[in-house]
Amino acid sequence: MSSSPSPPLSLSSLSGLSEESFVAAVGGVYENSPWVASAVFTNLKPLSITSIASLHAAMKEVVETAEERKKLELINSHPDLAGKAALADELTEESKEEQSKAGLNSLTKEELEQFTKMNEKYKSKFGFVFILAVRNATKYTILKSFEARLKNTRMKEFEECITQIHKIAWMRLLTILEPADTGFLTCHVLDTASGKPANDMDITLERLSGTGPLGVIGSFVTNSDGRLTSGRALTGKDFSVGIYKWTFEVGDYFAKEGAKLAGTPFLTSVPLVFGIDDPEDHYHVPLLCSPYGYSTYRGS
Amino acid sequence: MSSSPSPPLSLSSLSGLSEESFVAAVGGVYENSPWVASAVFTNLKPLSITSIASLHAAMKEVVETAEERKKLELINSHPDLAGKAALADELTEESKEEQSKAGLNSLTKEELEQFTKMNEKYKSKFGFVFILAVRNATKYTILKSFEARLKNTRMKEFEECITQIHKIAWMRLLTILEPADTGFLTCHVLDTASGKPANDMDITLERLSGTGPLGVIGSFVTNSDGRLTSGRALTGKDFSVGIYKWTFEVGDYFAKEGAKLAGTPFLTSVPLVFGIDDPEDHYHVPLLCSPYGYSTYRGS
Amino acid sequence: MSSSPSPPLSLSSLSGLSEESFVAAVGGVYENSPWVASAVFTNLKPLSITSIASLHAAMKEVVETAEERKKLELINSHPDLAGKAALADELTEESKEEQSKAGLNSLTKEELEQFTKMNEKYKSKFGFVFILAVRNATKYTILKSFEARLKNTRMKEFEECITQIHKIAWMRLLTILEPADTGFLTCHVLDTASGKPANDMDITLERLSGTGPLGVIGSFVTNSDGRLTSGRALTGKDFSVGIYKWTFEVGDYFAKEGAKLAGTPFLTSVPLVFGIDDPEDHYHVPLLCSPYGYSTYRGS
Amino acid sequence: MSSSPSPPLSLSSLSGLSEESFVAAVGGVYENSPWVASAVFTNLKPLSITSIASLHAAMKEVVETAEERKKLELINSHPDLAGKAALADELTEESKEEQSKAGLNSLTKEELEQFTKMNEKYKSKFGFVFILAVRNATKYTILKSFEARLKNTRMKEFEECITQIHKIAWMRLLTILEPADTGFLTCHVLDTASGKPANDMDITLERLSGTGPLGVIGSFVTNSDGRLTSGRALTGKDFSVGIYKWTFEVGDYFAKEGAKLAGTPFLTSVPLVFGIDDPEDHYHVPLLCSPYGYSTYRGS
């Protein structure tokens, strides 16, 4: 992504593009490997892309079915993390932004040395560069990950690098393209102590990071079915990639229900923090609770 | 509790007391009903109290086995919530502090009227006053609770009031006495995707409210058994009544484990907010997690 | 219920009945207390009953709002469990059948004595008879329950007896009336290790007890949404009161998914045994599973 | 394993062996690849093996650190599943027994053709044979697995075959050696509706398959800590590889606790079926339950 980012492209605008323009638009998604976009252009002709997910799947397929030699080339098209290319300012715009988001452009001298040493150790063991999707990572996580992965076999690492590359491509597509309008967020609260939906529970929703206004972005009350009276908590552009937080007023609910609660109840305001990665998908993030325990999961 | 509260008494200091002093010390725990403490003094003689919980249990037993007439008297020894006694400043010190903590001393005129109406409706239906342990409640919760309980039968409400009175007594004992040194907090993290303890996960512990310093009060790393290397997260005076929060670095953990995570993982930092009500008890508050869901409960 | 039970009545056939016939039809549901049915007839006039649940709710309401004296009378209309009335063959048909289902008509002399002693102890403590809905209970459970409840206060036991009486009434209604055609059973399987619906998992459904053929009554495969391709697993008359069992082929599923399983996997065929109490309601009984753990709950 | 299997060897008896005898004893664990056992003999010298798990880990390490060429050789040392070698009776004893346990020695002509076609397809795509630990599998599972894995990349399949080979080796070691006496089974029942251990719940344990008597092998009652009064449910030789089943009398427990249950409760007898794969390990298989839901997991 350039330092003055262009506004995201609509999916429909991709349809009319020539191969050259298409590759110009999305070719950078796989680092220094425009051949992936080219192959997609050929495979999908006539180009009709209805979701970022389907474009990503098509690009991924091209990579997965490529020869091992080609995959190795793809891996080695990536720069070292915090490596020489970064120091010499020779990174692609995309890599530059990603490495800087993870704080890799402001390492101390000691940290730089540590990264250099790790990169070398990794390359000498496996014969290719270490790849990690760093956009949401910290220096600390990256180093821990480095250590853990150095213990793998070459084959496992090869696979892992390809997996990370797909993840990087996904995140790059999300910054370039406007997602289809299909994603939304729903909720459900079940009272497992009485085996019925939790009626009349207050819930708030906050965006902790991501696209759109941060802070409280919704206040809800459950209906007799344990669902939000409004149905969907987020839709359209509001349903964006980021970190979100439900807060469920479980203590008040059980107090009203006449549950035998302690003076200081075990559960009062229950927070659930969860990430939305795919803005085109349905995320169902429910709460199953009793006065002394709860669980949640990513449903759909 | 008086407005300039005395320091809490040790449990051992209760042992030598005369009936009169004992009743002076803990007799206010059941509102205007020193006969409860008197009976305990007689029942337990010679007085040897090793925990707040055992004293509370002894007092509760006295109430539970009393005649219904006596219980009704006990219920009616309580003031209305936000009632005339409060306006006339005729509350016991304990009730005054509790009602003020719940914001009942600063109601608007409309709210006061609402409370007055509710109190009357309740009394005319059931023949006794509405009782709710309000120390940790808000105006809003109290009103919701009022509404819900007005639908009960008289018998159910009689039982409920006694339950609330025991809860009030418990919280009053906690402000008067120094708890025995038996309580502590432990944790355990299980990775349910791989069926093994989660090793090397970072955890922090915060006190959000309660006795003792607020904010981060502990940082931990799990060992190969999924437990804190230090064993107990809180013991002694640090293990106090209040609201606490674990934060589990679940995202980092699964990244190191090589789980197939999204660019923005579903779980990153997982917060668990829980209350400690009994400072003499063992609280085990574990996390069972996979990359896409988790559960917790109050164990021991 | 008589020894040669009449076929269940349809709900619509209740509508045209005179008070006398209505009370003849459902008056025995509250033991020796036709006044409950009479009051319902008056309250609901003109009679239009669309579900067993709504009739039960109306009858329950009559009892709940009756005076305590009347409730006590209702309690004392019940015979002792395994008491003199049973020996003298003086039970109502309903009680006779229920007590016999729990094995109370074939007690040994020692057991009879134990029951007699318990009944007397209970009556002398509380002033009314011990009531327990015994249709699905065993001698063993009944005795355990007896012991536990003898420790309660009179008020709590009074409430508990009324609760048990409502439960008895519910089960009697279910044997007399044909339920409305609104109930059904659904399922959902979520793979919490990968955060997606479990696709292509084999499931069987058995009826272990209850109305209708026992044994395997359905075989299903989940679709890409983790639900049964047929939608509802049971509807109409097939969705009857009883004990049911799902068996989920979790081991095969995770093997296909390429999960790292042990030689003898922790989970292979996962059984869930659950009861259906209300044939007019929606039961959603899902499975949330990873290779090393699972949970379920009663949803709707 | 030979058709008249020798009694399992003790771990201590391995210590004194010459390389030749050691390889004779455990060399067949990796199919036609005695070099793995040889390398372990050299690496571990002097030989002191205290658990099957540690021997397996040592053998696995030898394979993992071998060159890819060597790993490919190992993969190709395995016969086709239901292939020509089987027809010509040229399998190793170990493979013969495993394939027969999965029913592969009694395929119909059509099934044989299907297997032959799959094997060929697989080999022509990846350049090596399809490997699956079949001891606990069925024809059906094997075919499903075949289909799923044909979609993988060569690298992923290479890794998968090695994983399956380690699993086969583990199961073969378990038939040859007597496990160390360190494994045991524990249980815990938590009542999440009331946030306390479930006291006085009846539990039975059955062995459904595996070494030792089948059927009910233990009856337990939980103590006030929710654990078995006897502590461990299985230890020593009784704690053997196999499929087990807990049955928890959850319905009786909640009835005694005075939970508001339906006439036909949602939960009555709750079965948990689980596999024990490692007889030297601690398996903790708990139940977290409320009247309307429960969960379990493999703990330790």
Side-chain angles (χ1 to χ4, degrees), chain B residues 64-65 68 71 153-156 158-159 190-196 290-293, chain C residues 64-65 68 71 153-156 158-159 190-196 290-293:
Chain B
E64 287 294 325
T65 55
E68 268 171 51
K71 288 186 192 173
T153 61
R154 184 185 178 278
M155 283 224 168
K156 185 141 191 218
F158 193 98
E159 285 286 315
L190 192 82
D191 172 348
T192 57
S194 65
K196 58 179 196 188
S290 77
Y292 292 94
Chain C
E64 288 294 327
T65 56
E68 268 172 50
K71 286 186 192 172
T153 61
R154 184 184 178 278
M155 283 225 169
K156 185 139 192 221
F158 194 97
E159 284 286 315
L190 193 83
D191 172 348
T192 57
S194 64
K196 57 177 196 189
S290 76
Y292 292 94

Side-chain angles (χ1 to χ4, degrees), chain C residues 235-274:
Chain C
T235 57
K237 280 193 197 318
D238 295 332
F239 183 74
S240 59
V241 172
I243 308 283
Y244 292 80
K245 180 184 178 183
W246 291 124
T247 302
F248 298 90
E249 298 304 331
V250 170
D252 282 358
Y253 167 78
F254 280 115
K256 281 183 297 175
E257 289 293 301
K260 298 259 168 295
L261 300 180
T264 301
F266 185 65
L267 298 180
T268 47
S269 293
V270 167
L272 293 192
V273 174
F274 60 97

Side-chain angles (χ1 to χ4, degrees), chain A residues 185-186 205-206 208-209 234 239 242-248 272-277 283-285 296-298, chain B residues 264-269 271 294:
Chain A
L185 173 66
T186 55
L205 178 64
E206 290 167 78
L208 303 184
S209 72
L234 283 179
F239 183 74
I243 308 282
Y244 291 81
K245 179 183 178 185
W246 291 123
T247 302
F248 298 89
L272 292 193
V273 174
F274 60 96
I276 291 176
D277 181 57
Y283 278 64
H284 181 63
V285 185
T296 189
Y297 56 86
R298 194 265 206 241
Chain B
T264 301
F266 186 66
L267 298 180
T268 46
S269 293
Y294 62 90

Side-chain angles (χ1 to χ4, degrees), chain A residues 64-65 68 71 153-156 158-159 190-196 290-293, chain D residues 64-65 68 71 153-156 158-159 190-196 290-293:
Chain A
E64 287 295 326
T65 55
E68 269 171 49
K71 288 186 191 172
T153 61
R154 184 183 179 279
M155 283 224 169
K156 184 138 192 220
F158 194 98
E159 284 286 315
L190 193 83
D191 172 348
T192 57
S194 64
K196 57 177 197 190
S290 77
Y292 292 94
Chain D
E64 288 295 326
T65 55
E68 269 170 51
K71 288 185 191 173
T153 61
R154 184 184 178 278
M155 283 225 169
K156 185 139 192 220
F158 193 98
E159 284 287 314
L190 194 83
D191 172 348
T192 57
S194 64
K196 57 178 196 188
S290 77
Y292 291 94

Side-chain angles (χ1 to χ4, degrees), chain B residues 57-73:
Chain B
M59 299 184 96
K60 194 173 161 184
E61 176 74 8
V62 168
V63 172
E64 287 294 325
T65 55
E67 290 172 25
E68 268 171 51
R69 186 189 50 80
K70 205 75 186 150
K71 288 186 192 173
L72 182 59
E73 222 177 274

Side-chain angles (χ1 to χ4, degrees), chain A residues 188-206:
Chain A
H188 186 226
V189 188
L190 193 83
D191 172 348
T192 57
S194 64
K196 57 177 197 190
N199 187 24
D200 199 24
M201 186 186 287
D202 293 312
I203 306 175
T204 54
L205 178 64
E206 290 167 78

Side-chain angles (χ1 to χ4, degrees), chain D residues 1 17 26 45 93 101 110 114 128 152 174 197 259 271-272:
Chain D
M1 204 166 84
L17 299 183
V26 303
K45 219 170 162 189
E93 287 298 328
K101 282 217 168 172
E110 285 71 28
Q114 208 179 348
F128 46 81
N152 284 340
L174 288 172
L272 292 192

